[in-house]
Amino acid sequence: MYAVCSSFRSVPRSILRVKDQRHLCSPRVILAATRLLSSGSGQSERASKPRADLPDYKTDINIHDHKLKRPDKPPPPVPRWVGLDDLKKRVQGSLIPETLKHMEENEDFKITAENLRKLGQVKLTREERKKRQRALYNLGVPNFRDFVKSRLKENDISVEGLLKRKKTEVLQLNIGLYCNQACNHCHVESSPKRKEMMNRQTAERCIELLAKSPEIHTLDLTGGAPELCQEFRYLAKAGRDLGRQVIDRCNLTALLEPGQEDTAQFLAENQIKVIASLPCYSAKNVNLQRGRGVFDKSIQALLVLNSLGYGIPGTGLEIDLVYNPLGAFLPPPQEALRQQYKEELMSIFGIQFNELYTITNMPIKRFADFLYRRNELQDYMDVLVRNFNPETVPGLMCYNTLNVNWQGQIYDCDFNQQMDIGISAKKLPDRAINQKSSKSPFLSIWDIENVDDLLGARVAIDNHCFGCTAGMGSS
């Protein structure tokens, strides 16, 4: 038997894969063994040297736990709303039957109707005010006027002329409570069941006041759904003939009601500015807040208005949208939300508009009921108080807006109208007015010669006013 080379005795025979020791010293085996020993010696040498900086050289040795990450899916393309295909067919007919059906089925509406039947509107409004006042009392908040004065002083803002009427520049007419919708946030409590509307005599007196008051640059028509009220076109046309800007506060769906087929065209021909409610760009949220079928009709109405030039640069026809929150929270930042609306409405529906305004929900009427039944009224009042914004005070609508209800009574704002807090002759600064009507303690359009009679009058305030100074306000 051949002797085994001493230098290879440490090499396992299993590695050399030999069957007979006589082959251990063959040239081929010697070469293989030399390479193996050289390799082992190199590894040992490298291990003894300092390691290079390899920040990602840390793979876990438990390779049974290793998993491949699934490839990221590419972002889905912006979906085209499938409803556009048969939208015109779907929005045929009136929304009113669906609204009335919803009112009959909805528990909140049924409770409100029963309370109204038992207590009457005046007592119901008084009870609502007491609930807000009780919430503010529990929060330790003083009355609105004292609260605002103290906060302005804290911010080194002058309180001179605070909450006193200035020159009237906007005449806002609530020409009726009739509406084809019944939104759960509505501070006017409009619905198809409300039949109150301004008559021609009252409308003519409003135009007469407008003509005598050149400082008024805007006639603001609201409701209800103002387009569905009998004097809408008379007022809109008369306001334009006097050279004033006319605003139509539109719920959009009214433009598609039977008999209103040419209303959008009327608005465009008279260059009437449209301010339209659209609380979201999704069907789910809009229908939740405003009723079944509202979203489809709102989108179709916007498409019709766009086709007439509204929202299109260079046409001079303006349409602004209004967002208000679904629940007891403040709206998002206005400019960021405006951009979001622009992108969503254009990419999905091809809709354009001019501006977007965010407003805070006022804790009155239906929205107050909504909060109270959910035990959220005090929390919401706390939100409004904690988010007082002193920058909203100079722009409050009560400074330069005169609000008129369908009967001709005058108010500092539309919210005061709903709370039946009118303008009293007692609050006028050293100015005698011969009040012609004895039915109400408040003034009407027949009691004043022109809007200058109201200059300097003390603004009527109450506990709902915190809604106009929270966040970006509600004016």
Side-chain angles (χ1 to χ4, degrees), residues 87-151:
L87 182 60
K88 287 185 179 179
K89 180 179 178 181
R90 245 186 3 263
V91 299
Q92 295 297 317
S94 174
L95 185 65
I96 292 174
E98 187 64 48
T99 300
L100 291 173
K101 180 181 178 183
H102 174 64
M103 294 180 72
E104 294 300 322
E105 295 173 352
N106 185 275
E107 287 301 319
D108 286 344
F109 279 115
K110 289 194 282 188
I111 293 171
T112 299
E114 180 61 20
N115 288 339
L116 184 62
R117 186 186 66 79
K118 288 180 178 178
L119 301 176
Q121 188 63 66
V122 173
K123 192 170 182 180
L124 202 60
T125 299
R126 192 181 302 126
E127 288 297 314
E128 176 194 312
R129 181 185 180 278
K130 287 181 181 178
K131 292 172 185 175
R132 279 194 306 275
Q133 192 58 47
R134 194 175 299 120
L136 291 171
Y137 176 80
N138 292 339
L139 295 169
V141 178
N143 71 68
F144 181 74
R145 193 181 300 275
D146 291 343
F147 177 87
V148 172
K149 187 179 294 186
S150 66
R151 288 300 183 91

Side-chain angles (χ1 to χ4, degrees), residues 383-404:
V383 167
L384 299 182
V385 172
R386 285 189 291 106
N387 289 276
F388 172 79
N389 182 358
E391 294 181 4
T392 62
V393 176
L396 292 175
M397 71 172 79
C398 51
Y399 281 131
N400 73 336
T401 298
L402 180 63
N403 179 271
V404 183

Side-chain angles (χ1 to χ4, degrees), residues 8-27:
F8 300 140
R9 284 173 182 161
S10 62
V11 181
R13 289 189 176 88
S14 60
I15 295 177
L16 294 175
R17 297 173 185 263
V18 294
K19 296 181 180 180
D20 195 320
Q21 290 184 358
R22 290 175 301 176
H23 301 295
L24 285 173
C25 293
S26 69

Side-chain angles (χ1 to χ4, degrees), residues 456-471:
R458 198 177 188 196
V459 171
I461 57 95
D462 209 318
N463 51 35
H464 62 280
C465 296
F466 286 98
C468 280
T469 56

